Amino acid sequence: MARPTIGAREEELVLGALRSGRLALGPRLSSFEAAFGVAVGASHVSAVSSGTAGLHLAIRAAGVERGDDVVTSPLSFVASANCLLYEGARPVFCDIDPRTLNITAQSAGDALTERTTGILPVHLFGYPVDMPRLELLSRDCGLWIVEDACEALGAVHADGTPVGARGNLSVFGFYPNKQITTGEGGAVVSPSTELKKRIDSERNQGRAPDMGWLDHDRLGFNYRLDDLSCALGLAQLERLEERLALLGGAGRAGGTRPSMPG
């Protein structure tokens, strides 16, 4: 948890976006997604209007259905549970480890029911969940995983893999108390081009992938991230390593942080 740091670079890029006349669905959206992908070591990034919106889109992409049980943490912001309720699924809370404050594979396994279809772990305060064991449980039981990484930008697992780069749908948040901010905003990291296309469409009212005007071929939402926010995010990403250093290395569980391009 941190206070936002806004300086001359943020003002410069946001002013440039204002003067460009492209305030939404402009070039800064793809630029921000690409820069964020470099930061977390991921190829498929969809910027969205909030971390909550990202969680909602991610669980839909994972295949959640009405009546499903989804195991998650009782110690988190309410959005981790709310996103499941949006789709008529039931959050099933499992116990947390007293040291990490995160769920474990053991506690998640103990909470499984005959209706469980997925697991939504939360990397609380940037401390990574033990994902290798949780992923083994998900494979053995045929469960999907969506990682709530809204507080974990810059965190790495013990094997050096950045949080969000393990091949699961993962969601980050950019509210002003996060490592970087876009004012409001979030991002979904997808493991495939197909899932990114789905999320890109659903964040934009279900518009067709070719962006045909008023061609909406599925249910969607107004979860877009505007170009002003993307401009702010681009400036913030330029100083991500500096920000993480100021936060004193919180969230590191071994390995090194992903580096930003020069």
Side-chain angles (χ1 to χ4, degrees):
M1 313 303 285
R3 291 188 176 94
T5 300
I6 307 297
R9 182 59 171 164
E10 283 79 6
E11 293 176 1
E12 175 189 356
L13 294 191
V14 170
L15 182 59
L18 279 171
R19 289 173 172 170
S20 75
R22 291 295 302 274
L23 304 186
L25 294 176
R28 289 159 190 82
L29 174 62
S30 58
S31 295
F32 176 65
E33 290 174 339
F36 189 79
V38 171
V40 299
S43 301
H44 308 295
V45 176
S46 302
V48 293
S49 57
S50 68
T52 304
L55 288 169
H56 187 199
L57 294 178
I59 64 165
R60 285 174 55 85
V64 72
E65 295 184 356
R66 180 172 295 276
D68 287 352
D69 283 353
V70 179
V71 175
T72 190
S73 172
L75 185 60
S76 178
F77 186 59
V78 70
S80 303
N82 276 351
C83 69
L84 302 169
L85 297 175
Y86 295 163
E87 293 298 312
R90 185 176 74 126
V92 176
F93 298 123
C94 66
D95 203 0
I96 58 172
D97 180 88
R99 182 176 66 90
T100 67
L101 305 182
N102 288 328
I103 67 171
T104 67
Q106 179 65 53
S107 64
D110 291 343
L112 297 182
T113 73
E114 62 181 15
R115 298 192 304 176
T116 303
T117 62
I119 307 174
L120 198 158
V122 181
H123 303 289
L124 194 69
F125 301 129
Y127 196 94
V129 174
D130 185 352
M131 291 305 301
R133 287 188 173 87
L134 205 61
E135 288 162 349
L136 180 60
L137 173 67
S138 74
R139 288 194 295 269
D140 289 344
C141 298
L143 307 174
W144 51 260
I145 289 179
V146 169
E147 298 181 45
D148 182 340
C150 288
E151 296 180 353
L153 176 58
V156 296
H157 294 280
D159 63 1
T161 304
V163 167
R166 298 191 62 85
N168 304 310
L169 282 157
S170 302
V171 182
F172 293 84
F174 308 133
Y175 189 71
N177 65 351
K178 302 301 193 295
Q179 291 90 343
I180 68 167
T181 186
T182 57
E184 296 280 356
V188 183
V189 172
S190 300
S192 68
T193 301
E194 291 71 25
L195 285 178
K196 173 174 165 54
K197 287 181 178 178
R198 171 180 175 152
I199 289 169
D200 286 354
S201 174
E202 290 194 359
R203 73 178 173 186
N204 189 26
Q205 302 284 16
R207 186 170 292 183
D210 64 2
M211 291 294 288
W213 181 244
L214 296 184
D215 181 10
H216 298 263
D217 59 8
R218 69 187 74 194
L219 176 67
F221 309 89
N222 185 358
Y223 285 167
R224 297 181 298 268
L225 189 65
D226 64 273
D227 270 45
L228 299 179
S229 298
C230 289
L232 179 57
L234 282 165
Q236 291 272 292
L237 281 173
E238 291 177 358
R239 293 188 291 137
L240 176 59
E241 287 300 309
E242 173 189 337
R243 292 285 294 150
L244 293 174
L246 288 173
L247 292 172
R252 299 188 70 176
T256 57
R257 290 196 181 93
S259 59
M260 290 295 293

